[in-house]
Amino acid sequence: MAWGFSERLQLGGLLLSLLGGVCSCVTAALPQWKTLNLELNEMETWNMGLWEVCVNQEEGGIVCKAFESFLSLPQELQVSRILTVASQGLALLGLLLSGCGSECFQFHSITGVVKRRLRTLGGTLEASASATILFPVSWVAYATIQDFWDDRIPEIVPRWEFGDALFLGWAAGIFLAVGGLLLIFSACLGREEAPSPWRVDPTVTPSWAPAEELDVSFQLIPRPVNLLV
């Protein structure tokens, strides 16, 4: 089956949305949102995530401890927990709706108009999932920068720095945003390619044409007569 430009956009949007959703889940699960290297003990590296704090020791391995209370967390981590979970739900729902509305999967019970609406809604949800993952990641990065350059903290106190999860979260937001825009654009492109119900076929003779222009031939067909005996 030869795929057109619209079908390729749909497939690209679905793949990017799937990749962004997976990266978003990994970002929320990783503890490397912030990293801390101790100058006094270079063999230990501290990592802070949304759910736990881990200590990486070269000799003893990795030791993690979950946060005991949600309310004891900094404000940016509290909001990040809620928004990252919301981002995963929006990405999953948008992917399901876009998949049902895609031309790559044939569902005979769904018409073309409904498919375009599903792709538009799914793309909008993917764009919303992008915003809900980019906002907490950027907020945590901003708070980390503020604490790193805070003059009120003595210089001997170690400072938190960017972790690998922040960069993965930014990549997830970009994938979700591009995937959602491709799905929306494919729906708009499919609407333009759809035939208009008001378009007149030049090969069909209009009903208001004069009688002399119509080529109408009559043929007399004898009617069968039933004879009753």
Side-chain angles (χ1 to χ4, degrees):
M1 180 181 66
W3 284 5
F5 182 66
S6 178
E7 285 77 8
R8 294 178 182 177
L9 286 179
Q10 297 170 28
L11 182 60
L14 289 175
L15 292 178
L16 287 176
S17 299
L18 178 60
L19 180 60
V22 173
C23 292
S24 177
C25 295
V26 176
T27 300
L30 284 178
Q32 286 87 6
W33 281 62
K34 296 181 180 182
T35 60
L36 179 65
N37 295 320
L38 299 178
E39 296 181 357
L40 298 178
N41 188 1
E42 297 180 354
M43 300 180 63
E44 289 185 356
T45 302
W46 291 71
N47 297 316
M48 178 184 293
L50 300 179
W51 314 97
E52 59 187 2
V53 176
C54 297
V55 181
N56 187 4
Q57 301 175 349
E58 294 184 1
E59 297 180 355
I62 301 177
V63 179
C64 297
K65 181 180 180 181
F67 294 116
E68 297 179 356
S69 175
F70 174 78
L71 299 178
S72 63
L73 295 176
Q75 186 177 8
E76 64 271 13
L77 294 183
Q78 294 178 3
V79 177
S80 298
R81 275 193 182 186
I82 299 173
L83 291 182
T84 50
V85 174
S87 176
Q88 297 169 20
L90 291 174
L92 179 59
L93 182 58
L95 190 62
L96 292 177
L97 293 178
S98 301
C100 294
S102 175
E103 299 294 341
C104 305
F105 305 98
Q106 297 296 331
F107 297 97
H108 299 286
S109 60
I110 302 179
T111 61
V113 177
V114 177
K115 283 188 175 182
R116 289 194 297 270
R117 292 178 179 176
L118 287 177
R119 289 200 303 271
T120 303
L121 180 58
T124 305
L125 291 177
E126 295 297 338
S128 302
S130 172
T132 52
I133 190 62
L134 287 177
F135 180 78
V137 169
S138 301
W139 190 5
V140 172
Y142 174 76
T144 303
I145 294 175
Q146 291 293 106
D147 294 339
F148 187 87
W149 297 107
D150 193 354
D151 297 334
R152 295 172 298 180
I153 301 177
E155 295 182 358
I156 61 175
V157 177
R159 312 293 177 94
W160 291 98
E161 299 180 5
F162 288 173
D164 296 335
L166 297 182
F167 300 100
L168 185 60
W170 280 319
I174 294 175
F175 290 148
L176 289 171
V178 176
L181 292 177
L182 288 179
L183 292 172
I184 295 175
F185 183 69
S186 67
C188 298
L189 186 62
R191 186 180 298 110
E192 293 177 358
E193 294 177 352
S196 175
W198 302 101
R199 186 175 300 172
V200 180
D201 192 353
T203 60
V204 178
T205 305
S207 59
W208 58 84
E212 57 271 11
E213 296 181 3
L214 299 178
D215 185 12
V216 181
S217 59
F218 296 91
Q219 184 178 359
L220 297 178
I221 301 176
R223 181 180 181 182
V225 180
N226 297 328
L227 299 178
L228 299 177
V229 179

